[in-house]
Amino acid sequence: EPEVTQTPSHQVTQMGQEVILRCVPISNHLYFYWYRQILGQKVEFLVSFYNNEISEKSEIFDDQFSVERPDGSNFTLKIRSTKLEDSAMYFCASSGRDRGPYEQYFGPGTRLTVT
Amino acid sequence: AQSVTQLGSHVSVSEGALVLLRCNYSSSVPPYLFWYVQYPNQGLQLLLKYTTGATLVKGINGFEAEFKKSETSFHLTKPSAHMSDAAEYFCAVRGLGGSQGNLIFGKGTKLSVKP
C-alpha cells in the first residue's frame, strides 16, 4: 500500500541553523500538509499546499518557515533559523482528489531537536 | 472556533474488555470528524471519519464511532480490546480554512491493554 515517507527520522541542530525536512507524499496525491507536535501537546496544523502554492497557513507558520515542492515527488519544509521552541515532531501528510482533501495520509514524522 | 477535547490522556483496559475513548468537539460549521491512531514510531493512520449521513461509522480494526450532535461528541468504541490496539488515538475536526483540509486535533489518548 502506498505510504508517505519522511526523512530524516530524527534531526538534531543548533539554534540559529537552517533545517530542511523532507517528505515524499503518495504519488497521485495533490494536496500536501505539514503539522507539528510539541512533546505533550496537540498536533498542530502548519501549512497546506496545492497546485504549487500555499493554500492555507496557520499563525505558527511565520517568515522563518517555507515549503517547496522542488520536483514531482518531494515536498520540503524549511526552517531558516531554528529556535529552541521549534523542537517538535513534524508530520507530513497528503491527500488525493478521489477521497477529498480531508482523508489525509500521514508520514511517520521527523523528530527535530534544537539545542 | 474549531476545537477538540479528548477526555483522559491515558486509558487502560484489559484484553477483551470494551474500549471507550471520548471526544467532544466544538465547530461553527457542520463538523467533519476523524479518529486517527498512532502506533509507536509510525505516522498517524486514519481509523474512521464522519462527514455526512449515517451517524454510526465503522472503521478499521473493529472500531466504530457515533456522531451525536446534541452532545457534540464523537466517542470511539471497540467491543473487545486486543493487545495490538495499544497505541495513541487522536480525534480531529476539520478546520475552517476552505476546502484544503486543515485538521484540528485533540491532545490524544494513549490506550494500554493489559493481558
Side-chain angles (χ1 to χ4, degrees):
Chain A
E1 185 172 331
E3 58 183 20
V4 176
T5 59
Q6 291 185 242
T7 53
S9 57
H10 192 183
Q11 172 98 43
V12 181
T13 189
Q14 289 190 327
M15 196 167 52
Q17 295 297 304
E18 174 184 287
V19 294
I20 297 176
L21 310 183
R22 291 182 166 79
C23 168
V24 179
I26 294 173
S27 62
N28 62 348
H29 281 183
L30 301 174
Y31 305 89
F32 313 111
Y33 315 85
W34 283 101
Y35 292 81
R36 79 172 186 190
Q37 185 181 29
I38 295 172
L39 190 64
Q41 298 187 26
K42 299 182 180 185
V43 176
E44 301 171 290
F45 168 77
L46 292 178
V47 66
S48 59
F49 191 86
Y50 171 70
N51 201 24
N52 285 319
E53 60 183 23
I54 290 174
S55 48
E56 187 189 356
K57 60 184 180 179
S58 72
E59 53 192 33
I60 301 169
F61 194 88
D62 61 22
D63 292 343
Q64 292 298 311
F65 291 89
S66 62
V67 289
E68 193 178 29
R69 189 157 162 80
D71 52 42
S73 59
N74 290 283
F75 180 51
T76 62
L77 174 70
K78 182 193 289 187
I79 309 175
R80 286 190 186 80
S81 179
T82 50
K83 307 183 189 73
L84 293 176
E85 54 264 37
D86 294 327
S87 295
M89 181 73 90
Y90 288 81
F91 294 105
C92 173
S94 68
S95 61
R97 187 168 283 158
D98 55 343
R99 296 187 179 183
Y102 291 101
E103 191 156 327
Q104 296 177 21
Y105 293 79
F106 282 75
T110 293
R111 181 166 298 285
L112 176 65
T113 302
V114 182
T115 61
Chain B
Q2 314 297 92
S3 68
V4 169
T5 302
Q6 291 184 242
L7 296 175
S9 59
H10 195 173
V11 169
S12 182
V13 300
S14 297
E15 194 172 18
L18 171 72
V19 175
L20 171 61
L21 304 182
R22 299 179 186 273
C23 172
N24 288 90
Y25 69 90
S26 172
S27 178
S28 55
V29 297
Y32 287 8
L33 296 158
F34 307 82
W35 276 100
Y36 281 83
V37 61
Q38 185 180 29
Y39 298 102
N41 300 315
Q42 295 187 28
L44 299 167
Q45 180 183 7
L46 181 65
L47 270 180
L48 48 80
K49 67 179 180 184
Y50 168 80
T51 53
T52 57
T55 56
L56 182 64
V57 291
K58 296 187 186 300
I60 61 172
N61 302 338
F63 284 93
E64 60 184 38
E66 187 170 13
F67 168 62
K68 291 187 177 180
K69 185 178 178 181
S70 61
E71 298 177 10
T72 61
S73 68
F74 190 57
H75 301 330
L76 182 71
T77 60
K78 182 174 179 178
S80 177
H82 294 152
M83 297 296 291
S84 60
D85 295 326
E88 189 152 21
Y89 293 79
F90 295 91
C91 182
V93 65
R94 71 164 168 173
L96 295 178
S99 63
Q100 280 75 32
N102 166 15
L103 296 176
I104 309 295
F105 284 88
K107 289 190 73 171
T109 298
K110 190 164 287 187
L111 176 66
S112 300
V113 182
K114 298 174 290 188

